[in-house]
Amino acid sequence: MKTNAKSKLEECILSHLTPEGDLLDLEEMNISPEHLRLLCQAGESLQGVKQLYLSNNGLGDAEIETLSKSRCLPNLEKLFLNHNKIGDAGAKMLAKSRLASNMTCLMLEANHIGPEGAKAFATSPHLKNLEILFLDSNPIEAEGAEVLAKSVNLPALTALHLDSAKIGDQGVKAIAATQTLSGLKKLYLCSNKISDDGAIALAQSPNLKNLNCLSIWRNEIRDDGGKAIAESPHLPNLERLYMSFNLIDKPVRKMIRSSDLASRLKTLIMD
C-alpha cells in the first residue's frame, strides 16, 4: 500500500479501532466510498475485528457491494448497519458474502429492505451461525415474514426483530406456524397492525414454546387476543411480555395481570 493511502487508512479507519483490535467503530462518521475501499484494503490490520459499526452513514447498495467483497474481516461476528439506505440489492449481496459466514448478529434496522431482501437472508447458505437478526423498520411485509418463517438456513436464530416491518396478521401467522424457527427466544413484533387474529395465532402456536421475550406493543389487539395470550398453554418459558398501546379494555387488562402467566413473568408492560 502506498504511503499516502496508508496514512489515510490509519487516519480514517485504524484510528477508530479499539486497542484490543476486536471492535471497529465507524458509526456516524460520514463514511464515503473511498473510506470503504480503504477498509477493504486494510489487509491483516483488521483480522481481529469481531464487531463492526457502520450505522448512520447513509450507506446504500453500492457501498454494501464494496463491503461485501472485503476479505480483510475473516473473523467478523457482529455487523451493525442500521439507519442507512440499504435496499434489496444490498441485502442480497450481504447474504452472498463471505462476511456472513461467522456472523452471529446482523443489525439492519431502518433501511429499505423489502420481501426480496428478506428472502435473500432466508435462503442464504452463509448464515448458519446467525443468532440475532434485526429487520425492524424495513418493509419486508407478510411475504418477507413468510420466507423467514420457512427458512431452513437459520438454525441458530434465537432473536428476531421485526418491529414496524408491515407484516400484519398474515406475517404473524406465518411465524406462529414455523417449523424451522422453533429455537426462537426473543420475538419483537411492535407496530405491525396485528389484530386478535395474529395474537391468537401466537397464543395457539406450539412452535414458539421457547420464547422468553415477546413484544407486541402498538398493535390493534383487543380483548380476545389479550385473553388468548394470557391463557396460552404454549408459553411456558416466557419471562418478559410487552403489550402496551393496544386496544384491550380495562377489565381484560386486569384479568391478564392476575393470570397464571403474569405470575410467572419477570416483566409485564401493559397500559
Side-chain angles (χ1 to χ4, degrees):
M1 184 180 294
K2 294 181 179 179
T3 303
N4 188 39
K6 185 175 182 180
S7 174
K8 285 186 176 181
L9 172 65
E10 291 174 350
E11 177 186 351
C12 301
I13 304 297
L14 299 184
S15 61
H16 302 285
L17 189 63
T18 58
E20 298 79 12
D22 61 348
L23 188 153
L24 180 58
D25 188 357
L26 299 173
E27 184 172 348
E28 292 188 276
M29 297 297 294
N30 294 314
I31 296 298
S32 68
E34 180 186 2
H35 292 142
L36 274 181
R37 285 193 293 272
L38 285 171
L39 187 155
C40 295
Q41 295 168 7
E44 296 182 359
S45 303
L46 302 179
Q47 294 255 332
V49 171
K50 294 183 178 180
Q51 299 183 59
L52 174 58
Y53 290 80
L54 285 166
S55 311
N56 291 284
N57 276 301
L59 303 179
D61 293 339
E63 289 79 17
I64 295 306
E65 181 177 13
T66 300
L67 179 65
S68 67
K69 293 178 180 178
S70 174
R71 297 291 182 267
C72 67
L73 295 161
N75 296 303
L76 189 64
E77 296 178 0
K78 298 180 180 180
L79 178 58
F80 296 82
L81 288 165
N82 47 298
H83 295 86
N84 281 296
K85 299 177 181 179
I86 303 165
D88 286 340
K92 290 176 182 179
M93 286 181 277
L94 280 174
K96 293 177 181 178
S97 173
R98 292 184 186 179
L99 278 179
S101 60
N102 293 317
M103 211 172 289
T104 61
C105 176
L106 180 56
M107 160 60 93
L108 287 160
E109 179 180 355
N111 279 284
H112 306 308
I113 297 168
E116 289 300 311
K119 182 178 179 180
F121 295 129
T123 57
S124 172
H126 302 301
L127 294 171
K128 300 293 186 184
N129 296 310
L130 192 67
E131 298 173 4
I132 307 170
L133 178 59
F134 291 86
L135 285 171
D136 312 84
S137 300
N138 283 281
I140 71 163
E141 302 179 348
E143 182 182 349
E146 288 170 351
V147 293
L148 288 170
K150 293 177 181 178
S151 175
V152 297
N153 296 301
L154 300 168
L157 197 68
T158 59
L160 182 58
H161 295 250
L162 296 177
D163 294 343
S164 303
K166 299 185 178 181
I167 67 172
D169 284 335
Q170 183 179 342
V172 171
K173 288 179 180 179
I175 293 170
T178 184
Q179 298 294 313
T180 56
L181 300 183
S182 57
L184 280 179
K185 294 183 178 180
K186 294 178 173 59
L187 181 59
Y188 297 84
L189 300 170
C190 304
S191 302
N192 276 298
K193 295 187 177 180
I194 302 168
S195 72
D196 283 347
D197 286 348
I200 291 169
L202 290 172
Q204 293 179 346
S205 173
N207 307 311
L208 301 176
K209 62 183 179 182
N210 290 313
L211 284 183
N212 59 39
C213 177
L214 175 62
S215 183
I216 46 178
W217 283 52
R218 293 188 185 279
N219 280 293
E220 299 171 4
I221 300 168
R222 296 179 181 272
D223 291 358
D224 288 347
K227 289 178 183 177
I229 294 290
E231 296 172 352
S232 173
H234 301 299
L235 297 170
N237 295 300
L238 199 65
E239 298 178 350
R240 292 176 174 81
L241 176 59
Y242 303 92
M243 56 189 307
S244 291
F245 304 110
N246 278 287
L247 302 172
I248 302 170
D249 288 337
K250 188 174 181 178
V252 176
R253 296 201 303 271
K254 183 176 180 181
M255 181 277 288
I256 293 171
R257 288 193 181 94
S258 62
S259 67
D260 288 341
L261 174 65
S263 69
R264 302 196 308 268
L265 295 174
K266 293 180 179 179
T267 303
L268 172 60
I269 305 296
M270 180 176 59
D271 55 358

Short mmCIF file of all heavy atoms in Angstrom, two decimals, residues 27 50-57 59 64 67 76-87 90-91 94 99-100 103-113 121 127 130-138 157 159-163 188:
data_model
loop_
_atom_site.label_atom_id
_atom_site.label_comp_id
_atom_site.label_asym_id
_atom_site.label_seq_id
_atom_site.Cartn_x
_atom_site.Cartn_y
_atom_site.Cartn_z
N GLU A 27 -19.42 4.43 13.34
CA GLU A 27 -20.79 4.92 13.37
C GLU A 27 -20.82 6.44 13.22
O GLU A 27 -20.04 7.16 13.85
CB GLU A 27 -21.47 4.52 14.68
CG GLU A 27 -22.93 4.90 14.77
CD GLU A 27 -23.62 4.33 15.99
OE1 GLU A 27 -23.03 3.46 16.66
OE2 GLU A 27 -24.75 4.75 16.27
N LYS A 50 -14.09 -8.30 15.43
CA LYS A 50 -15.28 -9.14 15.59
C LYS A 50 -16.56 -8.32 15.53
O LYS A 50 -17.63 -8.87 15.24
CB LYS A 50 -15.21 -9.88 16.93
CG LYS A 50 -14.08 -10.90 17.01
CD LYS A 50 -14.10 -11.66 18.32
CE LYS A 50 -12.99 -12.71 18.37
NZ LYS A 50 -13.00 -13.46 19.66
N GLN A 51 -16.46 -7.02 15.82
CA GLN A 51 -17.63 -6.14 15.77
C GLN A 51 -17.32 -4.92 14.90
O GLN A 51 -16.30 -4.26 15.11
CB GLN A 51 -18.01 -5.66 17.17
CG GLN A 51 -18.37 -6.77 18.13
CD GLN A 51 -18.80 -6.23 19.49
OE1 GLN A 51 -19.76 -5.46 19.59
NE2 GLN A 51 -18.08 -6.60 20.54
N LEU A 52 -18.21 -4.64 13.95
CA LEU A 52 -18.03 -3.51 13.04
C LEU A 52 -19.30 -2.66 13.06
O LEU A 52 -20.39 -3.16 12.76
CB LEU A 52 -17.74 -4.01 11.63
CG LEU A 52 -17.66 -2.94 10.52
CD1 LEU A 52 -16.60 -1.89 10.84
CD2 LEU A 52 -17.41 -3.58 9.17
N TYR A 53 -19.14 -1.39 13.42
CA TYR A 53 -20.25 -0.45 13.48
C TYR A 53 -20.16 0.52 12.30
O TYR A 53 -19.22 1.29 12.20
CB TYR A 53 -20.22 0.34 14.80
CG TYR A 53 -20.55 -0.49 16.01
CD1 TYR A 53 -19.60 -1.32 16.60
CD2 TYR A 53 -21.83 -0.46 16.57
CE1 TYR A 53 -19.90 -2.10 17.71
CE2 TYR A 53 -22.14 -1.23 17.69
CZ TYR A 53 -21.18 -2.05 18.25
OH TYR A 53 -21.48 -2.80 19.35
N LEU A 54 -21.18 0.47 11.45
CA LEU A 54 -21.27 1.37 10.29
C LEU A 54 -22.64 2.05 10.24
O LEU A 54 -23.10 2.45 9.17
CB LEU A 54 -21.02 0.59 9.01
CG LEU A 54 -19.56 0.18 8.72
CD1 LEU A 54 -19.50 -0.87 7.62
CD2 LEU A 54 -18.72 1.39 8.36
N SER A 55 -23.27 2.19 11.37
CA SER A 55 -24.61 2.77 11.44
C SER A 55 -24.59 4.26 11.09
O SER A 55 -23.60 4.95 11.27
CB SER A 55 -25.17 2.60 12.86
OG SER A 55 -25.01 1.27 13.31
N ASN A 56 -25.75 4.74 10.60
CA ASN A 56 -25.94 6.17 10.36
C ASN A 56 -24.87 6.79 9.47
O ASN A 56 -24.26 7.80 9.81
CB ASN A 56 -26.00 6.93 11.70
CG ASN A 56 -27.24 6.62 12.50
OD1 ASN A 56 -28.32 7.11 12.20
ND2 ASN A 56 -27.08 5.79 13.52
N ASN A 57 -24.63 6.16 8.35
CA ASN A 57 -23.64 6.69 7.42
C ASN A 57 -24.19 6.93 6.01
O ASN A 57 -23.43 7.27 5.11
CB ASN A 57 -22.44 5.72 7.33
CG ASN A 57 -21.44 5.95 8.44
OD1 ASN A 57 -20.88 7.04 8.58
ND2 ASN A 57 -21.22 4.93 9.26
N LEU A 59 -25.20 4.77 3.94
CA LEU A 59 -24.68 3.75 3.03
C LEU A 59 -25.81 3.14 2.20
O LEU A 59 -26.85 2.76 2.73
CB LEU A 59 -23.96 2.65 3.80
CG LEU A 59 -22.80 3.08 4.71
CD1 LEU A 59 -22.21 1.88 5.41
CD2 LEU A 59 -21.73 3.81 3.91
N ILE A 64 -22.49 -1.20 0.03
CA ILE A 64 -22.58 -2.55 0.56
C ILE A 64 -21.92 -3.55 -0.39
O ILE A 64 -21.33 -4.55 0.05
CB ILE A 64 -24.05 -2.93 0.82
CG1 ILE A 64 -24.63 -2.03 1.92
CG2 ILE A 64 -24.17 -4.39 1.24
CD1 ILE A 64 -23.84 -2.00 3.22
N LEU A 67 -18.32 -3.41 0.50
CA LEU A 67 -18.07 -4.08 1.78
C LEU A 67 -18.19 -5.59 1.66
O LEU A 67 -17.38 -6.33 2.24
CB LEU A 67 -19.07 -3.56 2.82
CG LEU A 67 -18.97 -4.17 4.22
CD1 LEU A 67 -17.64 -3.81 4.87
CD2 LEU A 67 -20.14 -3.69 5.08
N LEU A 76 -15.28 -11.55 11.53
CA LEU A 76 -16.39 -10.67 11.89
C LEU A 76 -17.59 -11.48 12.41
O LEU A 76 -18.04 -12.42 11.77
CB LEU A 76 -16.82 -9.85 10.68
CG LEU A 76 -17.83 -8.74 10.96
CD1 LEU A 76 -17.26 -7.68 11.87
CD2 LEU A 76 -18.30 -8.11 9.64
N GLU A 77 -18.10 -11.09 13.59
CA GLU A 77 -19.23 -11.77 14.20
C GLU A 77 -20.47 -10.88 14.29
O GLU A 77 -21.59 -11.38 14.23
CB GLU A 77 -18.86 -12.26 15.60
CG GLU A 77 -17.76 -13.32 15.60
CD GLU A 77 -17.38 -13.74 17.01
OE1 GLU A 77 -17.97 -13.21 17.98
OE2 GLU A 77 -16.48 -14.60 17.15
N LYS A 78 -20.27 -9.57 14.45
CA LYS A 78 -21.40 -8.66 14.64
C LYS A 78 -21.24 -7.46 13.71
O LYS A 78 -20.22 -6.77 13.76
CB LYS A 78 -21.48 -8.20 16.10
CG LYS A 78 -21.71 -9.35 17.08
CD LYS A 78 -21.79 -8.86 18.52
CE LYS A 78 -22.01 -10.03 19.47
NZ LYS A 78 -22.10 -9.59 20.88
N LEU A 79 -22.26 -7.24 12.87
CA LEU A 79 -22.22 -6.16 11.90
C LEU A 79 -23.44 -5.26 12.10
O LEU A 79 -24.58 -5.72 12.03
CB LEU A 79 -22.22 -6.73 10.47
CG LEU A 79 -22.22 -5.73 9.32
CD1 LEU A 79 -21.02 -4.79 9.40
CD2 LEU A 79 -22.26 -6.46 7.99
N PHE A 80 -23.17 -3.98 12.34
CA PHE A 80 -24.23 -3.01 12.62
C PHE A 80 -24.33 -2.03 11.45
O PHE A 80 -23.44 -1.22 11.22
CB PHE A 80 -23.93 -2.27 13.92
CG PHE A 80 -23.92 -3.16 15.13
CD1 PHE A 80 -22.79 -3.90 15.46
CD2 PHE A 80 -25.05 -3.30 15.92
CE1 PHE A 80 -22.78 -4.75 16.56
CE2 PHE A 80 -25.06 -4.14 17.02
CZ PHE A 80 -23.93 -4.88 17.34
N LEU A 81 -25.43 -2.12 10.72
CA LEU A 81 -25.66 -1.30 9.54
C LEU A 81 -27.00 -0.56 9.63
O LEU A 81 -27.58 -0.20 8.61
CB LEU A 81 -25.64 -2.18 8.29
CG LEU A 81 -24.28 -2.73 7.85
CD1 LEU A 81 -24.44 -3.87 6.86
CD2 LEU A 81 -23.42 -1.62 7.26
N ASN A 82 -27.50 -0.36 10.83
CA ASN A 82 -28.80 0.28 10.99
C ASN A 82 -28.76 1.75 10.56
O ASN A 82 -27.72 2.40 10.55
CB ASN A 82 -29.28 0.17 12.43
CG ASN A 82 -28.24 0.53 13.46
OD1 ASN A 82 -27.19 -0.11 13.54
ND2 ASN A 82 -28.50 1.57 14.25
N HIS A 83 -29.95 2.24 10.18
CA HIS A 83 -30.14 3.63 9.78
C HIS A 83 -29.23 4.01 8.61
O HIS A 83 -28.46 4.99 8.67
CB HIS A 83 -29.94 4.57 10.97
CG HIS A 83 -30.97 4.39 12.03
ND1 HIS A 83 -30.85 3.44 13.03
CD2 HIS A 83 -32.16 5.00 12.24
CE1 HIS A 83 -31.91 3.48 13.82
NE2 HIS A 83 -32.72 4.41 13.36
N ASN A 84 -29.30 3.22 7.56
CA ASN A 84 -28.63 3.54 6.31
C ASN A 84 -29.67 3.53 5.19
O ASN A 84 -30.85 3.76 5.45
CB ASN A 84 -27.48 2.55 6.06
CG ASN A 84 -26.24 2.89 6.88
OD1 ASN A 84 -25.64 3.95 6.68
ND2 ASN A 84 -25.84 2.01 7.78
N LYS A 85 -29.24 3.29 3.96
CA LYS A 85 -30.15 3.32 2.82
C LYS A 85 -30.04 2.03 2.01
O LYS A 85 -30.09 2.04 0.78
CB LYS A 85 -29.82 4.53 1.94
CG LYS A 85 -29.99 5.87 2.66
CD LYS A 85 -29.58 7.03 1.76
CE LYS A 85 -29.72 8.36 2.50
NZ LYS A 85 -29.29 9.50 1.65
N ILE A 86 -29.91 0.94 2.71
CA ILE A 86 -29.69 -0.36 2.07
C ILE A 86 -31.02 -0.93 1.59
O ILE A 86 -32.00 -0.98 2.34
CB ILE A 86 -29.02 -1.33 3.06
CG1 ILE A 86 -27.70 -0.73 3.56
CG2 ILE A 86 -28.78 -2.69 2.41
CD1 ILE A 86 -27.15 -1.42 4.80
N GLY A 87 -31.05 -1.37 0.35
CA GLY A 87 -32.25 -1.96 -0.22
C GLY A 87 -32.09 -3.45 -0.44
O GLY A 87 -31.16 -4.09 0.09
N GLY A 90 -28.62 -4.59 -1.80
CA GLY A 90 -27.59 -4.66 -0.77
C GLY A 90 -27.76 -5.87 0.13
O GLY A 90 -26.78 -6.52 0.52
N ALA A 91 -29.01 -6.17 0.49
CA ALA A 91 -29.29 -7.34 1.32
C ALA A 91 -28.84 -8.61 0.62
O ALA A 91 -28.26 -9.51 1.24
CB ALA A 91 -30.77 -7.41 1.65
N LEU A 94 -25.05 -8.91 0.81
CA LEU A 94 -24.62 -9.33 2.15
C LEU A 94 -24.87 -10.82 2.37
O LEU A 94 -24.03 -11.53 2.92
CB LEU A 94 -25.38 -8.54 3.22
CG LEU A 94 -24.91 -7.14 3.54
CD1 LEU A 94 -25.88 -6.47 4.50
CD2 LEU A 94 -23.51 -7.16 4.15
N LEU A 99 -18.46 -12.50 4.33
CA LEU A 99 -18.56 -11.78 5.60
C LEU A 99 -19.57 -12.43 6.54
O LEU A 99 -19.43 -12.36 7.76
CB LEU A 99 -19.01 -10.33 5.36
CG LEU A 99 -18.00 -9.28 4.95
CD1 LEU A 99 -18.70 -7.95 4.75
CD2 LEU A 99 -16.90 -9.15 5.98
N ALA A 100 -20.58 -13.05 5.96
CA ALA A 100 -21.69 -13.58 6.76
C ALA A 100 -21.36 -14.90 7.44
O ALA A 100 -22.08 -15.33 8.35
CB ALA A 100 -22.92 -13.76 5.87
N MET A 103 -20.99 -14.71 11.19
CA MET A 103 -21.81 -13.69 11.82
C MET A 103 -22.84 -14.27 12.77
O MET A 103 -23.57 -15.19 12.43
CB MET A 103 -22.50 -12.86 10.73
CG MET A 103 -22.73 -11.42 11.11
SD MET A 103 -23.34 -10.48 9.70
CE MET A 103 -21.87 -10.40 8.69
N THR A 104 -22.90 -13.69 13.98
CA THR A 104 -23.91 -14.09 14.96
C THR A 104 -24.98 -13.01 15.13
O THR A 104 -26.07 -13.29 15.60
CB THR A 104 -23.27 -14.37 16.33
OG1 THR A 104 -22.62 -13.18 16.81
CG2 THR A 104 -22.25 -15.50 16.23
N CYS A 105 -24.65 -11.77 14.75
CA CYS A 105 -25.60 -10.66 14.91
C CYS A 105 -25.53 -9.77 13.68
O CYS A 105 -24.45 -9.29 13.31
CB CYS A 105 -25.27 -9.86 16.17
SG CYS A 105 -26.31 -8.38 16.39
N LEU A 106 -26.69 -9.53 13.06
CA LEU A 106 -26.78 -8.66 11.89
C LEU A 106 -27.85 -7.62 12.15
O LEU A 106 -29.03 -7.94 12.24
CB LEU A 106 -27.09 -9.48 10.64
CG LEU A 106 -27.22 -8.70 9.32
CD1 LEU A 106 -25.97 -7.89 9.03
CD2 LEU A 106 -27.51 -9.66 8.17
N MET A 107 -27.42 -6.37 12.28
CA MET A 107 -28.32 -5.26 12.60
C MET A 107 -28.58 -4.43 11.34
O MET A 107 -27.67 -3.82 10.79
CB MET A 107 -27.70 -4.40 13.70
CG MET A 107 -28.27 -2.99 13.82
SD MET A 107 -30.04 -2.92 14.18
CE MET A 107 -29.99 -2.81 15.97
N LEU A 108 -29.82 -4.45 10.88
CA LEU A 108 -30.21 -3.73 9.66
C LEU A 108 -31.44 -2.86 9.87
O LEU A 108 -32.13 -2.51 8.91
CB LEU A 108 -30.46 -4.73 8.53
CG LEU A 108 -29.20 -5.39 7.96
CD1 LEU A 108 -29.55 -6.67 7.22
CD2 LEU A 108 -28.46 -4.43 7.04
N GLU A 109 -31.70 -2.48 11.09
CA GLU A 109 -32.87 -1.66 11.39
C GLU A 109 -32.86 -0.36 10.57
O GLU A 109 -31.82 0.25 10.36
CB GLU A 109 -32.91 -1.32 12.88
CG GLU A 109 -34.08 -0.45 13.30
CD GLU A 109 -34.08 -0.12 14.77
OE1 GLU A 109 -33.23 -0.64 15.50
OE2 GLU A 109 -34.96 0.66 15.19
N ALA A 110 -34.05 0.05 10.15
CA ALA A 110 -34.24 1.34 9.48
C ALA A 110 -33.43 1.46 8.19
O ALA A 110 -32.62 2.38 8.02
CB ALA A 110 -33.92 2.49 10.43
N ASN A 111 -33.64 0.52 7.30
CA ASN A 111 -33.12 0.60 5.94
C ASN A 111 -34.30 0.52 4.98
O ASN A 111 -35.43 0.88 5.34
CB ASN A 111 -32.08 -0.48 5.71
CG ASN A 111 -30.72 -0.10 6.25
OD1 ASN A 111 -30.01 0.70 5.66
ND2 ASN A 111 -30.33 -0.68 7.40
N HIS A 112 -34.08 0.04 3.76
CA HIS A 112 -35.16 -0.03 2.77
C HIS A 112 -35.30 -1.46 2.23
O HIS A 112 -35.59 -1.66 1.05
CB HIS A 112 -34.87 0.94 1.62
CG HIS A 112 -34.62 2.34 2.04
ND1 HIS A 112 -35.47 3.03 2.88
CD2 HIS A 112 -33.59 3.20 1.78
CE1 HIS A 112 -34.99 4.25 3.09
NE2 HIS A 112 -33.84 4.37 2.45
N ILE A 113 -35.13 -2.43 3.09
CA ILE A 113 -35.14 -3.83 2.69
C ILE A 113 -36.58 -4.35 2.63
O ILE A 113 -37.34 -4.20 3.58
CB ILE A 113 -34.29 -4.67 3.66
CG1 ILE A 113 -32.84 -4.20 3.61
CG2 ILE A 113 -34.39 -6.15 3.33
CD1 ILE A 113 -31.97 -4.75 4.72
N PHE A 121 -31.85 -13.42 2.83
CA PHE A 121 -31.34 -13.90 4.12
C PHE A 121 -31.88 -15.30 4.44
O PHE A 121 -31.16 -16.15 4.95
CB PHE A 121 -31.70 -12.93 5.24
CG PHE A 121 -31.06 -11.58 5.10
CD1 PHE A 121 -31.82 -10.42 5.17
CD2 PHE A 121 -29.69 -11.47 4.90
CE1 PHE A 121 -31.22 -9.17 5.03
CE2 PHE A 121 -29.09 -10.22 4.76
CZ PHE A 121 -29.86 -9.07 4.83
N LEU A 127 -25.48 -18.12 6.65
CA LEU A 127 -25.94 -17.55 7.93
C LEU A 127 -26.26 -18.63 8.96
O LEU A 127 -27.11 -18.44 9.83
CB LEU A 127 -27.17 -16.67 7.68
CG LEU A 127 -26.89 -15.40 6.86
CD1 LEU A 127 -28.19 -14.71 6.48
CD2 LEU A 127 -26.00 -14.44 7.64
N LEU A 130 -25.97 -17.34 12.54
CA LEU A 130 -26.68 -16.12 12.92
C LEU A 130 -27.65 -16.39 14.07
O LEU A 130 -28.52 -17.25 13.97
CB LEU A 130 -27.44 -15.56 11.73
CG LEU A 130 -27.98 -14.14 11.91
CD1 LEU A 130 -26.83 -13.14 12.01
CD2 LEU A 130 -28.92 -13.76 10.78
N GLU A 131 -27.49 -15.62 15.14
CA GLU A 131 -28.34 -15.76 16.32
C GLU A 131 -29.35 -14.63 16.44
O GLU A 131 -30.45 -14.83 16.95
CB GLU A 131 -27.47 -15.80 17.58
CG GLU A 131 -26.50 -16.98 17.64
CD GLU A 131 -25.54 -16.90 18.81
OE1 GLU A 131 -25.68 -15.96 19.62
OE2 GLU A 131 -24.65 -17.76 18.91
N ILE A 132 -28.97 -13.43 15.98
CA ILE A 132 -29.82 -12.25 16.15
C ILE A 132 -29.94 -11.52 14.82
O ILE A 132 -28.92 -11.16 14.21
CB ILE A 132 -29.22 -11.29 17.21
CG1 ILE A 132 -28.94 -12.02 18.51
CG2 ILE A 132 -30.17 -10.12 17.45
CD1 ILE A 132 -28.14 -11.21 19.52
N LEU A 133 -31.18 -11.30 14.37
CA LEU A 133 -31.43 -10.59 13.13
C LEU A 133 -32.38 -9.42 13.39
O LEU A 133 -33.50 -9.61 13.87
CB LEU A 133 -32.03 -11.53 12.09
CG LEU A 133 -32.41 -10.92 10.74
CD1 LEU A 133 -31.20 -10.30 10.06
CD2 LEU A 133 -33.06 -11.97 9.84
N PHE A 134 -31.90 -8.22 13.08
CA PHE A 134 -32.70 -7.00 13.23
C PHE A 134 -33.16 -6.54 11.85
O PHE A 134 -32.34 -6.10 11.03
CB PHE A 134 -31.87 -5.88 13.85
CG PHE A 134 -31.50 -6.06 15.30
CD1 PHE A 134 -30.37 -6.78 15.63
CD2 PHE A 134 -32.25 -5.49 16.30
CE1 PHE A 134 -29.99 -6.93 16.96
CE2 PHE A 134 -31.89 -5.63 17.63
CZ PHE A 134 -30.76 -6.36 17.96
N LEU A 135 -34.45 -6.62 11.61
CA LEU A 135 -35.03 -6.07 10.38
C LEU A 135 -36.14 -5.08 10.70
O LEU A 135 -37.02 -4.84 9.87
CB LEU A 135 -35.56 -7.20 9.49
CG LEU A 135 -34.48 -8.02 8.75
CD1 LEU A 135 -35.10 -9.24 8.07
CD2 LEU A 135 -33.74 -7.17 7.73
N ASP A 136 -36.11 -4.51 11.89
CA ASP A 136 -37.11 -3.52 12.28
C ASP A 136 -37.11 -2.36 11.28
O ASP A 136 -36.08 -1.98 10.73
CB ASP A 136 -36.79 -2.93 13.66
CG ASP A 136 -36.47 -3.98 14.70
OD1 ASP A 136 -35.30 -4.40 14.75
OD2 ASP A 136 -37.38 -4.35 15.44
N SER A 137 -38.28 -1.78 11.09
CA SER A 137 -38.42 -0.59 10.23
C SER A 137 -37.86 -0.81 8.83
O SER A 137 -37.22 0.06 8.24
CB SER A 137 -37.75 0.62 10.90
OG SER A 137 -38.34 0.91 12.15
N ASN A 138 -38.08 -2.00 8.32
CA ASN A 138 -37.86 -2.33 6.91
C ASN A 138 -39.17 -2.91 6.38
O ASN A 138 -39.79 -3.72 7.07
CB ASN A 138 -36.75 -3.38 6.76
CG ASN A 138 -35.36 -2.81 6.94
OD1 ASN A 138 -34.81 -2.19 6.05
ND2 ASN A 138 -34.79 -3.01 8.13
N LEU A 157 -30.82 -19.15 14.96
CA LEU A 157 -31.54 -17.91 15.25
C LEU A 157 -32.32 -18.01 16.56
O LEU A 157 -33.17 -18.89 16.72
CB LEU A 157 -32.48 -17.57 14.11
CG LEU A 157 -32.98 -16.11 14.08
CD1 LEU A 157 -31.84 -15.16 13.75
CD2 LEU A 157 -34.11 -15.95 13.07
N ALA A 159 -33.18 -14.70 18.20
CA ALA A 159 -33.85 -13.41 18.38
C ALA A 159 -34.18 -12.82 17.01
O ALA A 159 -33.28 -12.65 16.17
CB ALA A 159 -32.97 -12.45 19.16
N LEU A 160 -35.45 -12.52 16.79
CA LEU A 160 -35.92 -11.97 15.52
C LEU A 160 -36.65 -10.65 15.81
O LEU A 160 -37.66 -10.63 16.52
CB LEU A 160 -36.86 -12.95 14.82
CG LEU A 160 -37.41 -12.54 13.46
CD1 LEU A 160 -36.28 -12.26 12.47
CD2 LEU A 160 -38.33 -13.63 12.92
N HIS A 161 -36.11 -9.58 15.25
CA HIS A 161 -36.64 -8.24 15.48
C HIS A 161 -37.35 -7.75 14.22
O HIS A 161 -36.70 -7.46 13.21
CB HIS A 161 -35.50 -7.28 15.83
CG HIS A 161 -34.81 -7.60 17.12
ND1 HIS A 161 -34.93 -6.81 18.25
CD2 HIS A 161 -33.99 -8.62 17.45
CE1 HIS A 161 -34.20 -7.34 19.23
NE2 HIS A 161 -33.63 -8.44 18.76
N LEU A 162 -38.67 -7.65 14.31
CA LEU A 162 -39.48 -7.25 13.16
C LEU A 162 -40.45 -6.12 13.50
O LEU A 162 -41.53 -6.03 12.93
CB LEU A 162 -40.26 -8.45 12.61
CG LEU A 162 -39.43 -9.60 12.03
CD1 LEU A 162 -40.34 -10.74 11.59
CD2 LEU A 162 -38.56 -9.13 10.87
N ASP A 163 -40.09 -5.24 14.42
CA ASP A 163 -40.93 -4.09 14.72
C ASP A 163 -41.11 -3.25 13.46
O ASP A 163 -40.17 -3.04 12.68
CB ASP A 163 -40.30 -3.21 15.80
CG ASP A 163 -40.20 -3.90 17.15
OD1 ASP A 163 -40.89 -4.90 17.37
OD2 ASP A 163 -39.41 -3.41 18.00
N TYR A 188 -39.87 -9.82 18.44
CA TYR A 188 -40.29 -8.43 18.54
C TYR A 188 -41.18 -8.09 17.34
O TYR A 188 -40.73 -8.14 16.20
CB TYR A 188 -39.07 -7.50 18.58
CG TYR A 188 -38.20 -7.73 19.79
CD1 TYR A 188 -37.23 -8.74 19.79
CD2 TYR A 188 -38.35 -6.96 20.93
CE1 TYR A 188 -36.45 -8.96 20.91
CE2 TYR A 188 -37.57 -7.18 22.06
CZ TYR A 188 -36.61 -8.18 22.04
OH TYR A 188 -35.83 -8.41 23.14
#
